[in-house]
Amino acid sequence: MITTIARIIRVSLKPGFRKSRTASLKDLAAIRKDLLLAFEDCTSLPAQRLRLKIENAKTPRELWMLRNDIYLLISQRHDQGIAAERINGLVKVFEGWLDPKQITYIK
């Protein structure tokens, strides 16, 4: 029992350790809104499927993982430059919800 408690304390005191926040429904709705706005001009069947995936995502991490799909849709509709610009604009929405090491910009 004592060794378990000691291990928990050691892990929680490690640099870089932080408790993950739980997103409220309001937080998820705000993130979803920004994601949907990024590709609102895409009306294809894959875009409709992606909208459904976004609505069904339960965590900011799940929403972050959908950004590649968003990038592909935008680049097919416009070009890669516009897609990168829109995806990079979403990074600020995820700050504080993901580990900063996971947040990357598209070059």
Side-chain angles (χ1 to χ4, degrees), residues 6-65:
R7 186 178 306 135
I8 292 170
I9 291 172
R10 263 195 317 266
V11 168
S12 65
L13 294 177
K14 278 186 180 178
F17 176 85
R18 68 175 211 197
K19 285 187 171 182
S20 59
R21 288 176 21 190
T22 303
S24 68
L25 292 176
K26 184 178 179 182
D27 296 326
L28 287 172
I31 296 170
R32 283 185 185 115
K33 179 184 170 197
D34 287 338
L35 288 176
L36 292 169
L37 286 173
F39 69 104
E40 69 181 341
D41 57 347
C42 300
T43 57
S44 64
L45 184 59
Q48 295 303 322
R49 287 188 194 125
L50 183 54
R51 286 181 179 88
L52 186 59
K53 285 182 184 179
I54 289 171
E55 290 302 322
N56 290 325
K58 304 215 181 326
T59 65
R61 180 181 306 278
E62 287 179 38
L63 291 167
W64 175 255
M65 299 305 286

